Amino acid sequence: MRTGEPLPAVGEVLVSLATGLWHWDTATGLVTVDAEAARLLGLPREETVLTEAQTRARLHPVDWNEITGVVQLAVAEGTLAEVRIRIMDDRGRVVRVVRSRSKPSFDPVKKAYELIGTLQEVTEPTPGTPAGRTAVTGDWRRSREAFLLDAGRALAEARSTAEVLRVAAGLSMPGFSPDGLAVFGVEGDRLTIIGHHGHHGHHGHQSGDEDPFTQMSIHTDYPAAEVVRTGRAVYLSSPEQYKERYPLTWPLAAPFGRHSWAFLPLTVAGRTMGAWMAGFTYPVAFTPDERSVLTTVARMLAQALTRASAAETQRELTDGLQRSMLPTLGPEIPGMTLAARYIPTGGGLQVGGDWYDMIPLPGGTSRTNSGGASRTTPGGASRMNPAGSRFALVIGDVQGHDVRAAGLMGQLRIALRAYAAEGHRPDAVLSRASGFLHGLADADGGADLRFATCLYIEVDPVTGVLEAARAGHLDPAIRMADGTVLLRDIAGGLPLGIDPDADYPTTRLALEPGEALMLCTDGLLETGGHDLDTGWRRVRKILEAHEGDLEELADALVQAVHGPSSHHTTGPLADRREDDIAVLLLCRQGEGGCGPGAAPLPARQPVRRSMLTVAQAEPERIAVARQQLRELLHDWSCEDQVDSAVLLVSETLTNVLVHTDADALLVAEVTGAPGERRLRIEVTDTGDDLPHMRRPGELASSGRGLVLIELLADTWGVAPRGEGKSIWFELYEPSATVS
C-alpha cells in the first residue's frame, strides 16, 4: 500500500478479515448483525435484526450464560469483553467456534447494556500443544463447563447460608482450586464475615482470629473492602503484589501463607452485597479464562446467598409465627414428664398444619365412676388440687402446607382448648371440633374444605389412666418399662371436618410407672421417603434402643429422621416431598423415672402391662385384645403358651360380653426375668353373676371358658369386685433349659 493513499473502508477490511460486526441493546432486546456476522451465526448472508431469543437459539446455552457474566465484569472493570462462543445448528450440533470482542457500556437510567462488537471464526488448536494449553479449548473447556453446571446446580439447591458456604468451599475448579475462601458482607459501613473456610496457613492461625476482618470499615485499605466499595474485582498473583497495593493490611493476610488471591464482588441486580475471596497456596496468573470461571462462580454465589438469606428471613418469620402458635408445655406435673418437638418442612413456606398441645383440665383430681372415690374433702380442698390435676394431650395435622393450613390449625387448637376447658369428655371434644372445622369450610362457601387428623388423650397423672379418642390420626406407641414398644390401637372415627356429626369412641389405657407414650404426626414416620410401615420400624428401633432421659429421646427421634445421618436410611419412596414433624412424649415416672435429673429413661423394670377396655358395642375389639397380647408376649419362650393365653383371653372376654350387659376390662401383666416369667391376666366386668362350671350338656358353649382355664392355666381364680367380678389366670414360662 503506497503512502498517501486513503485507508480502505472499514467494512471492506472487516470482510477481507472474515470479521462480522454486531450491536446488542438490552433496552430494546434487539441484536443487529451485519452480513458476515449473520453468516458466522449460520444465517443467510445479509444484515438482519434478531431478537435476543433468536440469537440465543444459535449459541451454546453455556456460552450464552457466560456472555452475560463477562459483559457485567467488563463494564465493572472497564475492560473489553472477550468470549468464545460455539454456534449451534437447528439440531443442536456445534457448527463452528467464534470469538467475540466487544466494548460494553451501561446506561444507569435505562438500566440497560449496549454492546458493539466483532465476531471472528477461530480454529481450535490441537489439545496438548503449547497453543492448546493457553487457549480455552478441548478438555479444559469441557471440564470447566461440567464444573460450572455442577456448581450452579449445587448452589441453586442450597437452602441456607451455611449450606451455600459449604458448597462453595467444596468446589474444585478445573485446573486451579482455592485452598481457602471467605465471604464478606456489608452492614452499614462495616465489612462483616459471613463465612470462611480453608486451611489457615502454618502459623497456628485459629478460627477465632478473623477478628481483625470482622468489624473493618469499608473504607479500609483492604482488597475486600475495595471490592465492596467499587464493585470491581481485585486479582493479586503474588505476595509482593499484595504487599505493594495494600501495605497496611498485608500483615493480616501474611500469616495464611498463601500466594495468590482473587477478591470478587458479589452482585445481585446491580447491587454489590459483599465480596468473595478465593486464596491459593500457589501462584495463579488469573488468565481471562480463569477470571471468567471465578466471575461466573461469584455470580452464582451471590444469587445463592441472596436466595438463602431471603429464605432464612422468611423462615425466621414463619418459625416465629409457628412458635407463637405452638404451646409451651405447661407447668411441671408431679409424677409425669413431657417432651415435645416440632420441625417444619423443608419446603416452601415454613408453616404447616401440624400441632401439639397440652391442656390443663378443670375439675381437679381423678374422675372415677365407682361412687364417690373422687369426692372432695370437706371444704373442697382437693377441688383444684394441682398435684392430681388431669390434663389432655393433643396432636394433630391439618391437611396442606400453606398459610391457610396454619390458620385453620391455630383456630382448631383454640377450639379444642375451649371444648376441653368446658369439661367435655374426649369423644365430645372431638365431635364438637369436627363440627367446628366443618362450619369454617361452610362459612367459606365450601370452596376449600380441609380436614384434620387428631388424637386427643386425657391423662390422670395420679393413676396413669388415659382416655383416648382418635380422628383419623396415627395410633400412639407405648414403650414399656422393660423397653418393649407396642403400638396401641385406639378406636377411631373420621378425620375432623368431614362429617359434622361424626362419633368418636373412646379407648381406655393405663400408663404404668416407667412407661412412656409417644404421639406423632406422619412426618416422623414418612420423612426420608419411608412409608408408614418402614418408617414405624425405624422409629421403633430408636424407641427400644434408647438409653437416656425423655428430652434426649425426643432429640434422638428427630435426629434419626431429620438429622444429617438420616439420608443413610432412606425408605422405598425416596423422592417424596417431606412433611412437618410433630412429636409429643409423656412418661410416667417409675423407679428410675424419666424426668430431667432422674435416672435415665429405661430403668428397665421387669414388668410389662397392657390394659384394654372392650365395650358391649364393639365386640370386634376382642381381636385387638388378642393382637395386643401377642405383641406383649413377642419374646415368650413357649409358643404354645402364647396360643393358650390368646385363646383364654378370647373366651373370658366373650363370656363377659355374652353373659352380662357390662363392658369388660382386660389387664395383662408379665413379671420376672426372661425364662422364668409369669403372665397374669385379669378380666373384670360389672355384671353381678359369678361364673360357674356348667355340665357340658347344659349350654354347649357356656362354661367352656372355665373348663379351658382349668385345663390350660397354671393357676386361676374368680374374685368379686365392688359391683362386678374379675376372672384371673396365670401362666408360668417354662425355664429355657427345659426344651
Side-chain angles (χ1 to χ4, degrees):
M1 207 181 279
R2 290 189 298 281
T3 49
E5 279 196 12
L7 283 167
V10 175
E12 289 168 30
V13 174
L14 291 175
V15 172
S16 67
L17 295 173
T19 301
L21 279 179
W22 56 274
H23 173 244
W24 176 18
D25 182 355
T26 62
T28 60
L30 296 177
V31 181
T32 311
V33 292
D34 71 3
E36 183 62 19
R39 179 188 74 77
L40 290 171
L41 287 176
L43 298 168
R45 263 191 98 134
E46 58 198 38
E47 181 170 320
T48 179
V49 177
L50 306 168
T51 62
E52 280 177 19
Q54 286 170 321
T55 315
R56 185 174 185 162
R58 317 294 313 173
L59 315 185
H60 191 290
V62 172
D63 301 348
W64 171 267
N65 289 336
E66 197 173 302
I67 291 174
T68 50
V70 169
V71 165
Q72 285 177 354
L73 179 71
V75 168
E77 298 186 345
T79 55
L80 288 181
E82 184 168 337
V83 262
R84 274 163 185 266
I85 305 166
R86 284 159 299 175
I87 307 295
M88 317 291 280
D89 65 10
D90 305 336
R91 295 165 56 190
R93 291 173 308 195
V94 177
V95 194
R96 63 175 58 84
V97 180
V98 297
R99 175 205 272 149
S100 159
R101 301 187 69 172
S102 63
K103 177 77 175 139
S105 60
F106 181 68
D107 180 337
V109 180
K110 290 197 205 153
K111 292 258 183 292
Y113 291 95
E114 187 177 5
L115 293 88
I116 297 175
T118 60
L119 279 189
Q120 267 178 322
E121 185 157 3
V122 288
T123 48
E124 296 277 89
T126 323
T129 60
R133 274 198 290 279
T134 51
V136 185
T137 56
D139 301 342
W140 196 84
R141 176 95 211 206
R142 270 191 294 281
S143 62
R144 185 182 103 177
E145 250 154 54
F147 160 75
L148 289 175
L149 287 170
D150 286 348
R153 196 174 304 120
L155 285 168
E157 284 169 5
R159 289 240 179 91
S160 63
T161 303
E163 221 174 310
V164 171
L165 294 170
R166 206 165 50 242
V167 169
L171 296 177
S172 59
M173 306 188 194
F176 69 116
S177 274
D179 111 296
L181 62 88
V183 176
F184 298 90
V186 195
E187 274 176 25
D189 60 353
R190 302 241 160 244
L191 210 54
T192 59
I193 284 213
I194 296 175
H196 57 87
H197 190 279
H199 316 294
H200 293 320
H202 321 287
H203 294 265
H205 184 90
Q206 302 303 311
S207 55
D209 296 357
E210 271 77 25
D211 293 348
F213 303 103
T214 46
Q215 283 301 305
M216 184 180 281
S217 154
I218 57 170
H219 303 294
T220 312
D221 187 24
Y222 178 66
E226 179 178 314
V227 166
V228 167
R229 282 199 311 274
T230 63
R232 281 201 295 274
V234 168
Y235 298 99
L236 303 165
S237 299
S238 67
E240 292 70 39
Q241 236 180 329
Y242 197 130
K243 203 154 60 201
E244 189 185 328
R245 277 186 64 178
Y246 303 96
L248 292 177
T249 49
W250 163 246
L252 297 179
F256 290 90
R258 296 201 177 107
H259 280 270
S260 306
W261 298 259
F263 289 85
L264 291 106
L266 295 172
T267 326
V268 172
R271 192 178 67 80
T272 304
M273 52 172 275
W276 170 46
M277 179 212 81
F280 300 84
T281 44
Y282 51 88
V284 178
F286 298 118
T287 62
D289 300 326
E290 288 166 342
R291 292 184 186 209
S292 123
V293 170
L294 288 165
T295 308
T296 307
V297 172
R299 195 171 70 251
M300 297 192 297
L301 189 58
Q303 282 165 350
L305 284 168
T306 309
R307 231 190 350 263
S309 86
E312 278 164 1
T313 311
Q314 175 101 333
R315 250 194 311 263
E316 274 167 34
L317 193 98
T318 51
D319 277 358
L321 170 66
Q322 195 86 41
R323 291 262 137 61
S324 66
M325 289 179 156
L326 280 180
T328 47
L329 293 178
E332 293 291 300
I333 305 139
M336 292 271 178
T337 315
L338 270 169
R341 294 289 181 273
Y342 172 79
I343 311 286
T345 67
L349 184 65
Q350 300 268 316
V351 283
D354 287 24
W355 87 98
Y356 62 80
D357 206 350
M358 177 207 163
I359 308 170
L361 297 176
T365 52
S366 324
R367 230 192 222 144
T368 64
N369 304 327
S370 50
S374 70
R375 294 236 174 91
T376 54
T377 47
S382 79
R383 243 198 104 63
M384 285 308 291
N385 161 16
S389 294
R390 288 165 28 260
F391 60 92
L393 294 180
V394 190
I395 193 159
D397 184 357
V398 177
Q399 183 198 5
H401 287 97
D402 48 17
V403 176
R404 171 140 172 87
L408 285 173
M409 177 267 277
Q411 288 173 284
L412 188 55
R413 198 178 128 230
I414 293 164
L416 281 159
R417 291 200 136 220
Y419 300 139
E422 288 170 6
H424 295 293
R425 309 283 312 191
D427 50 348
V429 169
L430 287 191
S431 44
R432 282 163 191 249
S434 187
F436 169 79
L437 193 56
H438 193 270
L440 287 180
D442 275 358
D444 256 19
D448 187 10
L449 174 65
R450 296 283 181 105
F451 56 84
T453 65
C454 179
L455 177 58
Y456 179 97
I457 299 186
E458 198 176 282
V459 182
D460 183 336
V462 178
T463 60
V465 170
L466 312 175
E467 294 265 351
R470 186 171 73 86
H473 200 81
L474 297 173
D475 283 317
I478 287 192
R479 174 202 156 113
M480 303 182 138
D482 70 344
T484 308
V485 174
L486 305 177
L487 271 180
R488 271 305 149 82
D489 185 79
I490 304 291
L494 289 169
L496 306 178
I498 292 177
D499 172 3
D501 307 314
D503 279 337
Y504 296 96
T506 56
T507 304
R508 192 171 205 175
L509 310 168
L511 204 56
E512 297 298 324
E515 291 189 343
L517 172 78
M518 177 189 84
L519 317 181
C520 69
T521 55
D522 38 18
L524 182 72
L525 303 187
E526 293 180 338
T527 292
H530 284 266
D531 56 27
L532 290 173
D533 286 342
T534 61
W536 162 240
R537 288 203 290 276
R538 167 174 68 164
V539 164
R540 179 190 210 147
K541 269 201 201 77
I542 298 150
L543 286 168
E544 292 192 330
H546 183 73
E547 308 268 349
D549 66 20
L550 212 58
E551 288 293 330
E552 289 163 7
L553 176 56
D555 287 338
L557 286 166
V558 168
Q559 197 60 20
V561 305
H562 199 264
S565 63
S566 58
H567 57 271
H568 297 310
T569 55
T570 49
L573 314 160
D575 57 347
R576 304 248 331 226
R577 64 172 306 292
E578 305 294 60
D579 202 348
D580 301 13
I581 298 173
V583 190
L584 192 50
L585 299 169
L586 169 75
C587 179
R588 185 171 178 202
Q589 293 161 12
E591 318 274 293
C594 43
L601 183 68
R604 300 192 188 269
Q605 305 153 350
V607 175
R608 282 179 208 173
R609 280 186 71 183
S610 184
M611 181 168 153
L612 180 75
T613 20
V614 180
Q616 278 289 343
E618 33 181 27
E620 67 280 0
R621 283 184 62 76
I622 293 181
V624 173
R626 294 162 54 145
Q627 174 58 30
Q628 283 213 0
L629 185 58
R630 284 196 183 279
E631 287 197 359
L632 192 74
L633 301 177
H634 70 94
D635 55 359
W636 196 264
S637 65
C638 171
E639 201 49 53
D640 287 351
Q641 280 188 323
V642 176
D643 295 341
S644 302
V646 169
L647 174 63
L648 293 180
V649 161
S650 292
E651 284 292 334
T652 44
L653 288 172
T654 308
N655 203 26
V656 170
L657 298 186
V658 171
H659 294 291
T660 69
D661 52 6
D663 296 347
L665 174 69
L666 165 76
V667 178
E669 182 169 270
V670 179
T671 49
E676 47 193 45
R677 290 175 292 191
R678 60 175 50 193
L679 164 70
R680 180 184 169 96
I681 288 181
E682 192 166 353
V683 175
T684 309
D685 69 58
T686 47
D688 298 331
D689 48 333
L690 285 175
H692 58 280
M693 293 247 202
R694 296 182 172 82
R695 289 195 310 288
E698 201 177 329
L699 263 173
S701 70
S702 278
R704 191 182 72 177
L706 292 187
V707 175
L708 284 170
I709 291 184
E710 178 62 41
L711 276 171
L712 299 174
D714 286 304
T715 153
W716 66 280
V718 176
R721 277 280 170 91
E723 302 168 5
K725 61 177 178 308
S726 86
I727 303 178
W728 59 268
F729 61 86
E730 292 187 350
L731 293 174
Y732 305 144
E733 186 177 29
S735 116
T737 51
V738 187
S739 53

